[in-house]
Short mmCIF file of all heavy atoms in Angstrom, two decimals:
data_model
loop_
_atom_site.label_atom_id
_atom_site.label_comp_id
_atom_site.label_asym_id
_atom_site.label_seq_id
_atom_site.Cartn_x
_atom_site.Cartn_y
_atom_site.Cartn_z
N MET A 12 0.88 -1.17 -0.02
CA MET A 12 0.03 -0.04 -0.02
C MET A 12 0.82 1.28 -0.05
O MET A 12 1.90 1.28 0.66
CB MET A 12 -0.92 -0.03 1.18
CG MET A 12 -1.79 -1.20 1.35
SD MET A 12 -3.02 -1.07 2.69
CE MET A 12 -4.21 0.23 1.93
N GLY A 13 0.52 2.19 -0.77
CA GLY A 13 1.39 3.43 -0.87
C GLY A 13 0.50 4.63 -1.13
O GLY A 13 -0.61 4.63 -1.49
N TRP A 14 1.22 5.77 -0.73
CA TRP A 14 0.63 7.14 -1.06
C TRP A 14 1.60 7.71 -2.26
O TRP A 14 2.90 7.68 -2.12
CB TRP A 14 0.78 7.98 0.14
CG TRP A 14 -0.23 7.68 1.23
CD1 TRP A 14 -0.13 6.90 2.31
CD2 TRP A 14 -1.62 8.16 1.17
NE1 TRP A 14 -1.28 7.02 3.03
CE2 TRP A 14 -2.28 7.68 2.31
CE3 TRP A 14 -2.42 8.88 0.27
CZ2 TRP A 14 -3.59 7.90 2.66
CZ3 TRP A 14 -3.67 9.17 0.57
CH2 TRP A 14 -4.30 8.70 1.77
N TYR A 15 0.81 8.24 -3.19
CA TYR A 15 1.53 8.90 -4.28
C TYR A 15 0.92 10.30 -4.47
O TYR A 15 -0.02 10.57 -3.89
CB TYR A 15 1.25 8.17 -5.66
CG TYR A 15 1.82 6.70 -5.69
CD1 TYR A 15 1.30 5.68 -4.99
CD2 TYR A 15 2.87 6.51 -6.63
CE1 TYR A 15 1.80 4.35 -5.14
CE2 TYR A 15 3.35 5.23 -6.66
CZ TYR A 15 2.85 4.21 -5.99
OH TYR A 15 3.38 2.94 -6.12
N ARG A 16 1.66 11.12 -5.11
CA ARG A 16 1.19 12.45 -5.23
C ARG A 16 1.57 12.95 -6.73
O ARG A 16 2.48 12.45 -7.32
CB ARG A 16 1.73 13.50 -4.30
CG ARG A 16 3.24 13.71 -4.32
CD ARG A 16 3.62 14.68 -3.23
NE ARG A 16 5.10 14.89 -3.25
CZ ARG A 16 5.80 15.45 -2.24
NH1 ARG A 16 5.22 15.90 -1.24
NH2 ARG A 16 7.08 15.73 -2.47
N GLN A 17 0.65 13.87 -7.20
CA GLN A 17 0.97 14.43 -8.45
C GLN A 17 0.69 15.95 -8.38
O GLN A 17 -0.58 16.32 -8.18
CB GLN A 17 0.18 13.77 -9.53
CG GLN A 17 0.37 14.27 -11.01
CD GLN A 17 -0.25 13.31 -12.05
OE1 GLN A 17 -1.16 12.54 -11.79
NE2 GLN A 17 0.24 13.27 -13.21
N ALA A 18 1.64 16.66 -8.61
CA ALA A 18 1.47 18.17 -8.78
C ALA A 18 1.29 18.50 -10.29
O ALA A 18 1.66 17.85 -11.14
CB ALA A 18 2.78 18.84 -8.20
N PRO A 19 0.70 19.72 -10.50
CA PRO A 19 0.48 20.14 -11.82
C PRO A 19 1.68 20.11 -12.71
O PRO A 19 2.68 20.66 -12.31
CB PRO A 19 -0.08 21.55 -11.64
CG PRO A 19 -0.69 21.55 -10.31
CD PRO A 19 0.20 20.77 -9.50
N GLY A 20 1.61 19.51 -13.84
CA GLY A 20 2.72 19.42 -14.77
C GLY A 20 3.75 18.47 -14.35
O GLY A 20 4.84 18.44 -15.02
N LYS A 21 3.59 17.73 -13.27
CA LYS A 21 4.65 16.74 -12.89
C LYS A 21 4.11 15.27 -12.94
O LYS A 21 2.97 15.07 -13.00
CB LYS A 21 4.99 17.06 -11.38
CG LYS A 21 5.43 18.45 -11.08
CD LYS A 21 6.84 18.72 -11.78
CE LYS A 21 7.31 20.17 -11.32
NZ LYS A 21 8.55 20.43 -11.94
N GLU A 22 5.06 14.43 -12.98
CA GLU A 22 4.78 12.94 -12.94
C GLU A 22 4.26 12.55 -11.67
O GLU A 22 4.73 13.09 -10.61
CB GLU A 22 5.91 12.14 -13.38
CG GLU A 22 6.54 12.44 -14.69
CD GLU A 22 5.72 11.76 -15.82
OE1 GLU A 22 4.76 10.84 -15.46
OE2 GLU A 22 5.88 12.08 -16.98
N ARG A 23 3.33 11.55 -11.55
CA ARG A 23 2.93 11.10 -10.32
C ARG A 23 4.11 10.33 -9.66
O ARG A 23 4.92 9.58 -10.30
CB ARG A 23 1.75 10.06 -10.43
CG ARG A 23 1.18 9.53 -9.22
CD ARG A 23 -0.13 8.72 -9.37
NE ARG A 23 -1.13 9.66 -10.12
CZ ARG A 23 -2.35 9.16 -10.30
NH1 ARG A 23 -2.76 8.00 -9.99
NH2 ARG A 23 -3.20 10.02 -10.93
N GLU A 24 4.39 10.56 -8.35
CA GLU A 24 5.55 9.98 -7.72
C GLU A 24 5.12 9.28 -6.49
O GLU A 24 4.17 9.65 -5.70
CB GLU A 24 6.57 11.11 -7.34
CG GLU A 24 6.05 12.20 -6.39
CD GLU A 24 7.12 13.10 -6.02
OE1 GLU A 24 8.30 12.83 -6.15
OE2 GLU A 24 6.79 14.09 -5.46
N LEU A 25 5.82 8.32 -6.10
CA LEU A 25 5.65 7.55 -4.78
C LEU A 25 6.13 8.45 -3.68
O LEU A 25 7.20 8.92 -3.69
CB LEU A 25 6.42 6.25 -4.86
CG LEU A 25 6.35 5.47 -3.54
CD1 LEU A 25 4.91 5.02 -3.25
CD2 LEU A 25 7.26 4.23 -3.65
N VAL A 26 5.32 8.66 -2.70
CA VAL A 26 5.57 9.46 -1.47
C VAL A 26 6.03 8.56 -0.43
O VAL A 26 7.11 8.66 0.31
CB VAL A 26 4.54 10.27 -1.13
CG1 VAL A 26 4.82 11.00 0.27
CG2 VAL A 26 4.09 11.30 -2.13
N ALA A 27 5.31 7.54 -0.12
CA ALA A 27 5.54 6.58 0.94
C ALA A 27 4.91 5.27 0.65
O ALA A 27 3.77 5.21 0.09
CB ALA A 27 5.18 7.02 2.27
N GLY A 28 5.46 4.19 1.04
CA GLY A 28 4.86 2.73 0.79
C GLY A 28 5.15 1.93 2.02
O GLY A 28 6.08 2.22 2.85
N ILE A 29 4.24 0.94 2.13
CA ILE A 29 4.36 0.04 3.32
C ILE A 29 3.93 -1.30 2.84
O ILE A 29 2.97 -1.55 2.06
CB ILE A 29 3.62 0.48 4.46
CG1 ILE A 29 3.81 -0.49 5.71
CG2 ILE A 29 2.10 0.55 4.17
CD1 ILE A 29 3.21 0.01 7.03
N THR A 30 4.77 -2.37 3.12
CA THR A 30 4.50 -3.76 2.62
C THR A 30 3.57 -4.44 3.72
O THR A 30 3.57 -4.03 4.90
CB THR A 30 5.66 -4.43 2.30
OG1 THR A 30 6.42 -4.82 3.44
CG2 THR A 30 6.60 -3.59 1.38
N SER A 31 3.26 -5.65 3.34
CA SER A 31 2.52 -6.50 4.35
C SER A 31 3.47 -6.98 5.40
O SER A 31 2.99 -7.41 6.45
CB SER A 31 1.95 -7.70 3.59
OG SER A 31 2.90 -8.54 3.03
N PHE A 32 4.79 -6.92 5.23
CA PHE A 32 5.72 -7.20 6.17
C PHE A 32 6.03 -6.01 7.17
O PHE A 32 6.73 -6.14 8.10
CB PHE A 32 7.09 -7.58 5.61
CG PHE A 32 6.90 -8.87 4.72
CD1 PHE A 32 6.87 -8.76 3.38
CD2 PHE A 32 6.82 -10.11 5.33
CE1 PHE A 32 6.77 -9.83 2.62
CE2 PHE A 32 6.81 -11.23 4.53
CZ PHE A 32 6.72 -11.12 3.23
N GLY A 33 5.40 -4.81 6.87
CA GLY A 33 5.62 -3.64 7.66
C GLY A 33 6.78 -2.88 7.33
O GLY A 33 7.17 -1.85 7.95
N ILE A 34 7.45 -3.14 6.26
CA ILE A 34 8.56 -2.35 5.65
C ILE A 34 8.10 -1.11 5.01
O ILE A 34 7.26 -1.15 4.18
CB ILE A 34 9.48 -3.24 4.77
CG1 ILE A 34 9.91 -4.59 5.34
CG2 ILE A 34 10.67 -2.38 4.28
CD1 ILE A 34 10.70 -4.43 6.65
N THR A 35 8.72 -0.02 5.43
CA THR A 35 8.27 1.23 4.83
C THR A 35 9.39 1.86 4.08
O THR A 35 10.55 1.60 4.17
CB THR A 35 7.86 2.31 5.94
OG1 THR A 35 9.01 2.47 6.83
CG2 THR A 35 6.67 1.71 6.75
N ASN A 36 8.94 2.71 3.06
CA ASN A 36 9.91 3.47 2.26
C ASN A 36 9.35 4.74 1.93
O ASN A 36 8.13 5.03 1.78
CB ASN A 36 10.42 2.86 1.07
CG ASN A 36 9.26 2.57 0.14
OD1 ASN A 36 8.32 1.80 0.30
ND2 ASN A 36 9.30 3.30 -1.16
#
């Protein structure tokens, strides 16, 4: 599961993610 964001004129980017194992990035 993750959060992404997209600003005007920008590519959608990964902000933060978390796996089923609890690993975050």
